[in-house]
Amino acid sequence: MAFQKSPDGGWGWVIVLVSFFTQFLCYGSPLAVGVLYIEWLDLFGEGKGKTALVGSLASGVGLLASPVCSLCVSSFGARPVTIFSGFMVAGGLMLSSFAPNIYFLLFSYGIVVGLGCGLLYTATVTVTCQYFDSRRGLALGLISTGSSVGLFIYAALQRVLIEFYGLDGCLLIVGALALNILACGSLMRPLQVSNCTLPEKTAPENVPDRYCMYNEKEKNLEENIKILDKSYSHEEKCKSALASGDCGQENPLHKIPTTMMHAKEPEPYKKKVAKQTYFCKQLAKRKWQLYKNYCDETVSLFKNKVFSALFIAILLFDIGGFPPSLLMEDVARSSNVKEEEFVMPLISIIGIMTAVGKLLLGILADFKWINTLYLYVVTLIVTGLALCAIPFAKSYVTLAILSGILGFLTGNWSIFPYVTTKTVGIDRLGHAYGILMFFAGLGNSLGPPIVGWFYDWTQTYDTAFYFSGACVLLGGFTLLLAALPCWDTCDRKPPKQTPTTFLYKVASNV
């Protein structure tokens, strides 16, 4: 099955527009959950750690389930997955308005909405990549800003809706707005399948495998049929030994067709059994080989010191860097900042600066004289320093400045695929990126509850943000040490031993 060539325009720009609004509608409320977080604290009276788990699950579950989301999109297509996920997000938000306790919210808002957002993110990225090739970076950059703009608008919108309609009415209205995802999904027209498919022989990489499979199949079929013939002949001998002597006096003319009938009768059955047996064996071998190759490739990825440092960095970054977008409003209230001083919600500042950071950092990554890996390390280190400075901010202005800095640096998500490609290469990007996104989701799920539990223990956010800043700084310096050029010079010395290893392999095979 071959798809049409990516048009790099045309209907593709409609795909970009609807993907932008899809991410805007699905991620607006989960990313701006800090406004709801304060209301849930007052409503249910639970600890900050347990209440923060609701918002962290909404952002982390989709990343944790990224392999399942990719499988769904590849199996059913972007349009059906988008429509189904739109119902999930809208239904989860509306169910949350009837939540009697925090445990119901963990399911309705944390798991249902979070999983729906993960499916929608995978669907929008996949369909955009299908429609764009040479302009793919621009298209992905445009749709990724949808979540940041959603954070900016939903932070103020949810606050206004809570003032006029209460928390329950706010969630119902936001859930109704999420139903517009269905209209966006209906416009995600898949690329048509090309009528002129290439013949199988034109793929040279498949020829040796098919040739070996063909020979192996003939050999196995013959062996299986011989086994069935032996069992069948043994059965006939047993029957003839028990038969009466009249059988031996039969007319030879009548005996020949009966023996031919018995010989021809089981032939289709024998071939069917042999083919099914061979198919089961080959399927088991293929599945085992795929599993073995996946494990071997995973092990080889972690042998790369930079990749190992990268997964540590992304895990620690999400543990420490994600909580401000969820807890900054409560930080301001804990610092006795008056509501009259709020010119703009702090979460809205984080959202708009995240969009700016994604665009500017993405542009910087395209310059050849900038090392993208070192640029990512700089964003981590500055983020850690800004987190450590939050306990010293006691006014709205200083908190707003720190929120803007943290939002801008959180835009390093736009250069993370560049960093992954530079580390493992384009061939293993999909595998490596899936592993890293899993750890990113784990960090998103753990970060806010850990900060909330620190507050429950110490009754202050100071220790919590010192811990968050230390985590991000540790991840940044770990990646910096692994990426130093001196390690490359050490790795370039051993290639002289390659011929010896090759000769050893040949000798062992002989």
Side-chain angles (χ1 to χ4, degrees), residues 322-400:
F322 179 68
S325 62
L326 176 61
L327 304 173
M328 192 59 78
E329 295 291 329
D330 192 52
V331 170
R333 186 171 69 169
S334 301
S335 300
N336 298 321
V337 178
K338 298 180 181 180
E339 294 185 1
E340 294 80 10
E341 300 179 10
F342 278 74
V343 180
M344 182 185 297
L346 296 176
I347 299 180
S348 297
I349 297 175
I350 293 176
I352 195 63
M353 291 305 296
T354 301
V356 175
K358 286 180 178 179
L359 293 176
L360 292 183
L361 291 175
I363 293 172
L364 288 176
D366 289 333
F367 289 106
K368 296 181 180 180
W369 53 272
I370 291 182
N371 189 314
T372 313
L373 184 58
Y374 290 150
L375 177 63
Y376 185 75
V377 169
V378 170
T379 60
L380 294 182
I381 294 175
V382 179
T383 300
L385 295 176
L387 288 170
C388 293
I390 289 179
F392 300 98
K394 300 300 181 182
S395 65
Y396 173 79
V397 176
T398 54
L399 286 174

Side-chain angles (χ1 to χ4, degrees), residues 71 159 253 433 471 509:
L71 180 63
R159 176 171 291 179
L253 295 176
Y433 199 73
C471 286
N509 291 334

Side-chain angles (χ1 to χ4, degrees), residues 11 29 35 114 140 191 193 202 216 232-233 237 261 312 322 328 354 384 432 451 461 467 473 484-485 503 506:
W11 191 258
S29 180
V35 177
L140 291 176
L191 283 176
V193 179
T202 57
E216 188 179 357
Y232 181 77
S233 62
K237 288 179 181 179
M261 180 184 67
I312 295 174
F322 179 68
M328 192 59 78
T354 301
V451 173
Y461 278 115
F467 170 78
L473 286 174
L484 288 177
L503 292 175
V506 174

Side-chain angles (χ1 to χ4, degrees), residues 476-496:
F477 283 114
T478 301
L479 184 57
L480 177 62
L481 291 175
L484 288 177
C486 61
W487 295 108
D488 296 335
T489 58
C490 295
D491 292 339
R492 289 171 188 169
K493 293 180 181 180
K496 294 181 180 180

